[in-house]
Amino acid sequence: MLDGFFKSNNIAIIGVSREENKIGRVIFESLLSKFNGNIYPINPNAEEILGYRCYPSIKAIKEKIDLEVIAVPANIIIISINDCIKKKVKNIIIVSAGFKETGNSKLEKRLKELLLKHKINAIGPNCLGIFDASTGLDTLFLPVSRLKRPKRGNISFICQSGAIGSAMLDLIAGENIGISKFISYGNATVIDESDIIEYLANDKSTDVICAYIEGANNGKKFFSTLKKTAAKKPLIIIKAGITKEGHKATLSHTGSLAGSSEVYNAVFKQNKVIKADSLQEIIDYAKIFANIKKIHGNKVQIITNGGGFGIISTDSIINNNLKLACLSKKTTALLKKSLPKTVIISNPIDLTGDADNPRYKLALSSCLKDKNVDVIFLIILFQTPLVDENIVQDILSLKNKKPIVVVSAGDFFTRAIKQALEENNIPTYAFPENAASSIRKLLEYKGKK
Amino acid sequence: MLDGFFKSNNIAIIGVSREENKIGRVIFESLLSKFNGNIYPINPNAEEILGYRCYPSIKAIKEKIDLEVIAVPANIIIISINDCIKKKVKNIIIVSAGFKETGNSKLEKRLKELLLKHKINAIGPNCLGIFDASTGLDTLFLPVSRLKRPKRGNISFICQSGAIGSAMLDLIAGENIGISKFISYGNATVIDESDIIEYLANDKSTDVICAYIEGANNGKKFFSTLKKTAAKKPLIIIKAGITKEGHKATLSHTGSLAGSSEVYNAVFKQNKVIKADSLQEIIDYAKIFANIKKIHGNKVQIITNGGGFGIISTDSIINNNLKLACLSKKTTALLKKSLPKTVIISNPIDLTGDADNPRYKLALSSCLKDKNVDVIFLIILFQTPLVDENIVQDILSLKNKKPIVVVSAGDFFTRAIKQALEENNIPTYAFPENAASSIRKLLEYKGKK
């Protein structure tokens, strides 16, 4: 059902303005930036925009149109859809708002009937549309200066709310986390969350699915989709509107019929859906699931250059029902022999504030080889000058199949190194709590706890 | 006891190396960058460093020395202290490590006896020392390229762990939050956490005290200090080593004698100490307490340009026992008359994705005047291009005594505007949960719940 969207070659956009910052115009520019297919801007009052020939209507385009993006006002939407029907366009993204979410249920109903009658696959209305990091197919009407696009990766993200979706994409891009496909589906008039999740469950370039859901269009369909999907790949969901008041707010947003949060929680638990309680948790969990495929147990070894971080990490690990690994005698002896006396060889291993890259390398390689260790909790505080950006290569040169998560808190210098680690599929966190709860979620999902 | 440190004019540093990145050398450079007093580098093997005359020993300096920073190896510390005694230096910061935290309790004991006998005020050993954003007094041995120094502000931060302290300062500087004084006190051999908290309780340039504590040196003294201090100003504490395993790790870090976390929790609660459970919470709480002095009640009005953010904010507000404000009929009528039909006038007020600065200004000014509203929960998603950086001035022009917290998630563009808001004492958060829990803590402290 969604394949036609993502494999589109010829895309038309209705409502491309000559004025910058207008919705249709920004969509046109988003598509121009990286998409390799053909783009057809439609505007009856312009001959050309940005050097591209403009068409007065979709009927004036000779070529077959695979996907049409509609950004016209709600009151003329039916005319646009009728044009699409005549042109036999089968995939439509309706960005326009002003339907059931603003009380205009009559228009929404009329739209739905028309789309269903002509078997048109439609995303929206009241949505941002789609973004595919690998093909550059990008219908987001938010400019790159405001919303940085993430690099290519294996996480797909579906989002009922365009605002949540756009803020999350921007944050994810800032952390240098990769995205496969992004779908903002708004009112879910034809294609709903279940259709999208099912599509992503079968999508080979998606390893992890994240979803922001206000409510399911069709509860039975949704729950059966969850069951099928979560058995195939990690599915992380935040359900919004969990309080009575929050639920009320969903009605005037996407007009969702939400069930009680207890029902959702129970279904999530039953079906191995990974429940996120905040947007931060979605990001935290997504990166560990995207990067770590195997984890053998819950014995965590902390390596740090700051004692205090070691202590709060210990607290976080215990509070998340993980265990502190107990290094073998061989590892302990080797480290004691090779490292300065001030270093504390225990769990945490405290390499202390004057730790440099070689000291980290030695500790990391020994712990990676130690059979008593399942996961490395690698704290690196880059405020101390003897450890530097070359540690990224050191970590990569040693990496075996044992999971490593990096905890590192700081501003510019730190952020750049964390981006380099994320580039190389090492999940990074600012604070121990986030890293420990992510490890816990991964173990729970893998049935190792 | 600490006044002598912060009012120092003549500062000597023992152990200033000609080599860059060495500890004493970095401290020297930190002091040079902004401090206006006199700085005396001591190195018997150098005539000058960075154009400053070097002294062979502290005895060779003619002027009175107010503060000496010692960065020599632990094994020659006693010699350095004896030199200070001869020179009658009364305030010392001992940065050097290698005392009880590495099992060398004998040396620590000897050091302590010597310092007490000669009534020397000493911070450390095994610490970073102090930073004062208003005078530029900066003994941190971590270079600015790695650890950005925060601007001047009204939050003071004391930290047993240097690593936690430096990572936090770097993060705080990145968010453009202001700091008054920072003290990393390490092993607390002479001056301990209670002395520092008591000093800050009486310090006029400190409105909020944040503390990272592994354990109290003297339980009775600590608890009585908490009681006195929390009655005067907000005191936010994270207690590390709350699990059995974490507690064990404190012993090899700063050698603290920690009590059970239950005892700490009970004492915190009894004395209105604001307990933080993570480093993120310290930052979250500090900024609301630093910037918002008065709050009349728990009725929160959400204004948003993204429906989804409105919903998760509603959930967060309810989950934190806050209430949704109910706008007066007058406000509702005015907003309905003045704003486009697509805008939802309720709680949340959803200005929708095409909201611009004037729309925000109108909604904000009306809610600020409405007697039914105690707090404004202002969500601004800058991914949409019609709202821009000028909104900072709009918010400031309207601001009355009613608290405003801003929620805004995103990368570069968003971050710059949040920094401008923090510059103007508006607390900002990335996610609704953090904002709502901070409002809750403020209300609890003010006894309004």
Side-chain angles (χ1 to χ4, degrees), chain A residues 77-260:
Chain A
I77 193 81
I78 299 297
I79 302 170
S80 295
I81 302 291
N82 277 323
D83 282 352
C84 289
I85 291 165
K86 281 177 204 151
K87 179 71 185 164
K88 293 183 180 160
V89 180
K90 284 294 164 201
N91 304 301
I92 297 180
I93 293 172
I94 308 168
V95 166
S96 326
F99 297 86
K100 71 175 170 183
E101 83 283 3
T102 55
N104 205 344
S105 298
K106 222 171 171 177
L107 181 60
E108 174 115 11
K109 199 176 158 224
R110 208 174 140 205
L111 173 69
K112 185 172 183 170
E113 283 167 0
L114 191 63
L115 294 166
L116 289 179
K117 185 178 166 193
H118 294 275
K119 291 183 182 161
I120 293 174
N121 297 323
I123 295 176
N126 186 29
C127 76
L128 272 184
I130 63 178
F131 167 73
D132 184 331
S134 61
T135 62
L137 202 169
D138 179 347
T139 76
L140 309 183
F141 58 81
L142 303 166
V144 177
S145 61
R146 296 299 188 93
L147 192 178
K148 204 178 158 189
R149 289 354 184 221
K151 63 162 186 170
R152 188 175 174 166
N154 61 352
I155 301 167
S156 286
F157 190 30
I158 85 158
C159 202
Q160 193 152 8
S161 156
I164 300 261
S166 56
M168 292 292 272
L169 277 187
D170 198 19
L171 286 170
I172 283 169
E175 289 201 36
N176 200 25
I177 301 168
I179 281 285
S180 172
K181 296 177 175 70
F182 169 84
I183 302 122
S184 151
Y185 64 95
N187 290 6
T189 304
V190 173
I191 293 181
D192 66 17
E193 56 288 335
S194 304
D195 301 317
I196 302 167
I197 292 174
E198 193 180 337
Y199 171 74
L200 294 173
N202 297 310
D203 177 41
K204 281 182 184 163
S205 65
T206 298
D207 290 339
V208 180
I209 305 169
C210 299
Y212 165 89
I213 301 280
E214 291 177 6
N217 211 14
N218 174 333
K220 266 197 180 166
K221 181 179 166 193
F222 182 60
F223 295 146
S224 102
T225 305
L226 295 190
K227 194 174 177 176
K228 278 185 283 179
T229 306
K232 283 186 187 169
K233 49 184 85 168
L235 173 58
I236 303 163
I237 300 186
I238 182 167
K239 165 72 181 76
I242 53 169
T243 60
K244 189 168 57 97
E245 293 81 353
H247 170 53
K248 202 183 129 206
T250 63
L251 297 177
S252 59
H253 184 224
T254 46
S256 294
L257 293 167
S260 83

Side-chain angles (χ1 to χ4, degrees), chain A residues 19 32 35 53 73 158 175 188 199 207 246 260 277 333 364 384 434:
Chain A
E19 279 177 67
L32 284 179
F35 182 60
R53 176 186 161 190
I158 85 158
E175 289 201 36
Y199 171 74
D207 290 339
S260 83
D277 290 324
L364 179 59
T384 62
N434 305 63

Side-chain angles (χ1 to χ4, degrees), chain B residues 260-272 275:
Chain B
S260 84
S261 61
E262 287 78 16
V263 172
Y264 280 91
N265 286 346
V267 175
F268 287 178
K269 201 166 181 184
Q270 218 169 33
N271 293 305
K272 280 183 73 172
K275 181 172 157 269

Side-chain angles (χ1 to χ4, degrees), chain A residues 295-311:
Chain A
I295 184 164
H296 285 287
N298 65 354
K299 297 190 294 295
V300 181
Q301 177 64 45
I302 304 171
I303 303 173
T304 183
N305 60 341
F309 259 84
I311 296 165

Side-chain angles (χ1 to χ4, degrees), chain A residues 142 146 163 170 174 212 214 241-243 246 252-253 280 306-308 311 314-315 344 382-384 387 411 413 415 431, chain B residues 142 146 163 170 174 212 214 241-243 246 252-253 280 306-308 311 314-315 344 382-384 387 411 413 415 431:
Chain A
L142 303 166
R146 296 299 188 93
D170 198 19
Y212 165 89
E214 291 177 6
I242 53 169
T243 60
S252 59
H253 184 224
Q280 180 67 57
I311 296 165
T314 303
D315 284 339
I344 296 155
F382 290 101
Q383 284 77 31
T384 62
V387 59
D411 198 43
F413 192 89
R415 206 180 301 145
F431 299 114
Chain B
L142 303 166
R146 296 300 189 92
D170 198 17
Y212 165 89
E214 291 176 6
I242 52 168
T243 59
S252 60
H253 184 224
Q280 180 65 58
I311 296 167
T314 302
D315 285 339
I344 295 155
F382 290 102
Q383 284 77 29
T384 61
V387 58
D411 198 43
F413 191 90
R415 206 181 299 145
F431 299 114

Side-chain angles (χ1 to χ4, degrees), chain A residues 7-64:
Chain A
K7 289 188 175 155
S8 296
N9 191 51
N10 293 351
I11 303 181
I13 310 157
I14 302 194
V16 176
S17 171
R18 275 177 293 199
E19 279 177 67
E20 282 182 38
N21 283 338
K22 291 280 177 182
I23 290 182
R25 169 65 178 264
V26 179
I27 295 172
F28 182 47
E29 289 177 24
S30 298
L31 270 172
L32 284 179
S33 75
K34 284 191 182 158
F35 182 60
N36 274 327
N38 303 309
I39 309 166
Y40 303 86
I42 296 170
N43 178 339
N45 304 313
E47 295 228 329
E48 63 143 359
I49 292 175
L50 295 173
Y52 275 69
R53 176 186 161 190
C54 268
Y55 295 81
S57 76
I58 192 157
K59 292 171 286 183
I61 303 168
K62 280 184 195 162
E63 291 82 1
K64 182 173 175 284

